[in-house]
Coordinates of all heavy atoms in Angstrom, one line a residue:
T142 N 155.2 129.5 76.2 CA 154.6 130.9 76.0 C 154.2 131.4 77.4 O 154.6 132.6 77.7 CB 153.4 130.8 75.1 OG1 153.8 130.3 73.8 CG2 152.8 132.2 75.0
L143 N 153.5 130.6 78.2 CA 153.1 131.1 79.5 C 154.3 131.3 80.4 O 154.3 132.3 81.2 CB 152.1 130.2 80.1 CG 150.7 130.2 79.5 CD1 149.8 129.2 80.1 CD2 150.1 131.6 79.7
A144 N 155.2 130.4 80.4 CA 156.4 130.6 81.2 C 157.2 131.9 80.8 O 157.7 132.6 81.7 CB 157.3 129.4 81.2
Y145 N 157.2 132.1 79.5 CA 158.0 133.3 79.0 C 157.2 134.6 79.4 O 157.9 135.6 79.8 CB 158.1 133.2 77.5 CG 159.0 134.3 76.9 CD1 160.4 134.2 77.1 CD2 158.5 135.3 76.2 CE1 161.2 135.2 76.5 CE2 159.3 136.3 75.6 CZ 160.6 136.2 75.8 OH 161.5 137.2 75.3
L146 N 155.9 134.6 79.3 CA 155.1 135.8 79.7 C 155.3 136.2 81.2 O 155.2 137.4 81.5 CB 153.6 135.5 79.4 CG 153.2 135.4 77.9 CD1 151.7 135.1 77.8 CD2 153.5 136.7 77.2
F147 N 155.6 135.2 82.0 CA 155.7 135.5 83.4 C 157.1 135.3 83.9 O 157.4 135.1 85.1 CB 154.8 134.6 84.2 CG 153.3 134.9 84.1 CD1 152.6 134.2 83.1 CD2 152.7 135.8 84.8 CE1 151.3 134.5 82.9 CE2 151.4 136.1 84.7 CZ 150.6 135.5 83.7
S148 N 158.1 135.3 83.0 CA 159.5 135.1 83.4 C 160.3 136.3 83.8 O 161.4 136.2 84.1 CB 160.2 134.4 82.2 OG 160.3 135.2 81.1
D149 N 159.6 137.5 83.8 CA 160.3 138.7 84.2 C 160.2 138.8 85.7 O 159.7 139.8 86.2 CB 159.7 139.9 83.5 CG 158.2 140.1 83.7 OD1 157.6 139.1 84.1 OD2 157.7 141.2 83.5
T150 N 160.8 137.9 86.4 CA 160.7 137.8 87.8 C 162.0 138.3 88.5 O 163.0 138.5 87.8 CB 160.4 136.4 88.3 OG1 161.5 135.5 87.8 CG2 159.1 135.9 87.7
K151 N 162.0 138.4 89.8 CA 163.2 138.8 90.5 C 164.2 137.7 90.5 O 163.9 136.5 90.2 CB 162.8 139.2 91.9 CG 162.0 140.4 92.0 CD 161.7 140.8 93.5 CE 160.8 142.0 93.6 NZ 160.5 142.4 95.0
K152 N 165.5 138.0 90.9 CA 166.5 137.0 90.9 C 166.2 135.8 91.7 O 166.4 134.7 91.3 CB 167.8 137.6 91.3 CG 168.5 138.6 90.3 CD 170.0 138.7 90.6 CE 170.2 139.1 92.1 NZ 171.7 139.3 92.4
R153 N 165.7 136.1 92.9 CA 165.4 135.0 93.9 C 164.4 134.0 93.3 O 164.5 132.8 93.5 CB 165.0 135.5 95.2 CG 164.9 134.5 96.3 CD 164.7 135.1 97.6 NE 165.8 136.0 98.0 CZ 166.9 135.5 98.6 NH1 167.0 134.2 98.8 NH2 167.9 136.3 98.9
V154 N 163.3 134.6 92.7 CA 162.3 133.7 92.1 C 162.9 132.9 91.0 O 162.6 131.7 90.9 CB 161.1 134.5 91.7 CG1 160.1 133.7 91.0 CG2 160.5 135.3 92.8
T155 N 163.7 133.5 90.2 CA 164.3 132.8 89.0 C 165.2 131.7 89.6 O 165.2 130.6 89.0 CB 165.1 133.8 88.2 OG1 164.2 134.8 87.7 CG2 165.7 133.0 87.0
Q156 N 166.0 132.0 90.6 CA 166.8 131.0 91.2 C 166.1 129.8 91.7 O 166.4 128.6 91.5 CB 167.7 131.6 92.3 CG 168.8 132.5 91.8 CD 169.6 133.1 92.9 OE1 169.2 134.1 93.5 NE2 170.7 132.5 93.3
L157 N 165.0 130.1 92.5 CA 164.2 129.0 93.1 C 163.5 128.2 92.0 O 163.4 126.9 92.1 CB 163.2 129.6 94.0 CG 163.7 130.3 95.3 CD1 162.6 130.9 96.1 CD2 164.4 129.2 96.2
F158 N 163.1 128.8 91.0 CA 162.4 128.1 89.9 C 163.4 127.2 89.2 O 163.1 126.0 89.0 CB 161.9 129.2 88.8 CG 161.1 128.6 87.7 CD1 159.8 128.4 87.8 CD2 161.7 128.2 86.5 CE1 159.0 127.9 86.8 CE2 161.0 127.6 85.5 CZ 159.6 127.5 85.6
S159 N 164.6 127.7 88.9 CA 165.6 126.8 88.3 C 166.1 125.7 89.2 O 166.4 124.6 88.7 CB 166.8 127.7 87.8 OG 166.4 128.7 86.9
I160 N 166.3 126.0 90.5 CA 166.7 125.0 91.4 C 165.7 123.9 91.5 O 166.0 122.7 91.6 CB 167.0 125.6 92.8 CG1 168.3 126.5 92.7 CG2 167.2 124.5 93.8 CD1 168.6 127.3 94.0
G161 N 164.4 124.3 91.5 CA 163.3 123.3 91.6 C 163.4 122.4 90.4 O 163.3 121.2 90.6
F162 N 163.5 122.9 89.2 CA 163.6 122.1 88.0 C 164.8 121.2 88.0 O 164.9 120.1 87.5 CB 163.5 122.9 86.8 CG 162.1 123.2 86.3 CD1 161.3 124.2 86.8 CD2 161.4 122.3 85.4 CE1 160.0 124.5 86.5 CE2 160.1 122.6 85.0 CZ 159.4 123.6 85.5
G163 N 165.9 121.8 88.6 CA 167.2 121.1 88.6 C 167.1 119.9 89.6 O 167.6 118.8 89.3
V164 N 166.4 120.1 90.7 CA 166.2 119.0 91.7 C 165.4 117.9 91.1 O 165.7 116.7 91.2 CB 165.6 119.5 93.0 CG1 165.2 118.4 93.9 CG2 166.6 120.4 93.7
V165 N 164.3 118.3 90.4 CA 163.4 117.3 89.8 C 164.2 116.5 88.7 O 164.1 115.2 88.7 CB 162.2 117.9 89.2 CG1 161.4 116.9 88.4 CG2 161.3 118.5 90.3
S166 N 165.0 117.2 87.9 CA 165.7 116.5 86.9 C 166.8 115.6 87.5 O 167.0 114.5 87.0 CB 166.4 117.6 85.9 OG 165.4 118.4 85.3
L167 N 167.4 116.1 88.5 CA 168.5 115.2 89.2 C 167.8 114.0 89.8 O 168.4 112.9 89.6 CB 169.1 116.1 90.3 CG 170.2 115.3 91.1 CD1 171.3 114.9 90.3 CD2 170.6 116.2 92.3
F168 N 166.7 114.1 90.4 CA 166.0 113.0 90.9 C 165.6 112.0 89.8 O 165.8 110.7 90.0 CB 164.7 113.4 91.7 CG 163.9 112.3 92.1 CD1 164.2 111.5 93.2 CD2 162.7 112.0 91.4 CE1 163.4 110.5 93.6 CE2 161.9 110.9 91.8 CZ 162.2 110.2 92.9
L169 N 165.1 112.5 88.7 CA 164.7 111.6 87.6 C 165.9 110.9 87.0 O 165.9 109.7 86.6 CB 164.0 112.4 86.6 CG 162.6 112.9 86.9 CD1 162.0 113.7 85.8 CD2 161.6 111.7 87.2
G170 N 167.1 111.6 86.9 CA 168.3 111.0 86.4 C 168.8 109.9 87.3 O 169.1 108.7 86.8
L171 N 168.9 110.1 88.6 CA 169.3 109.1 89.5 C 168.3 108.0 89.6 O 168.7 106.8 89.8 CB 169.6 109.7 90.9 CG 170.7 110.8 91.0 CD1 170.8 111.4 92.4 CD2 172.0 110.2 90.6
Y172 N 167.0 108.3 89.6 CA 166.0 107.3 89.7 C 166.1 106.4 88.5 O 165.9 105.1 88.6 CB 164.6 108.1 89.7 CG 163.4 107.2 89.9 CD1 163.1 106.7 91.1 CD2 162.5 107.0 88.9 CE1 162.0 105.9 91.4 CE2 161.3 106.3 89.1 CZ 161.1 105.7 90.3 OH 160.0 105.0 90.5

């Protein structure tokens, strides 16, 4: 809910957000 309420962000913010979660997920998978 909170992520959705504040998800109307610019492209760059959305990209950085997704890349950040992608990096964390990649690290956990390899770990």
Side-chain angles (χ1 to χ4, degrees):
T142 301
L143 285 177
Y145 188 74
L146 290 176
F147 292 91
S148 63
D149 55 343
T150 58
K151 296 181 179 180
K152 286 200 308 180
R153 187 172 297 277
V154 176
T155 302
Q156 287 179 274
L157 292 175
F158 187 89
S159 298
I160 291 174
F162 273 86
V164 170
V165 172
S166 301
L167 178 62
F168 171 78
L169 291 174
L171 296 176
Y172 187 72

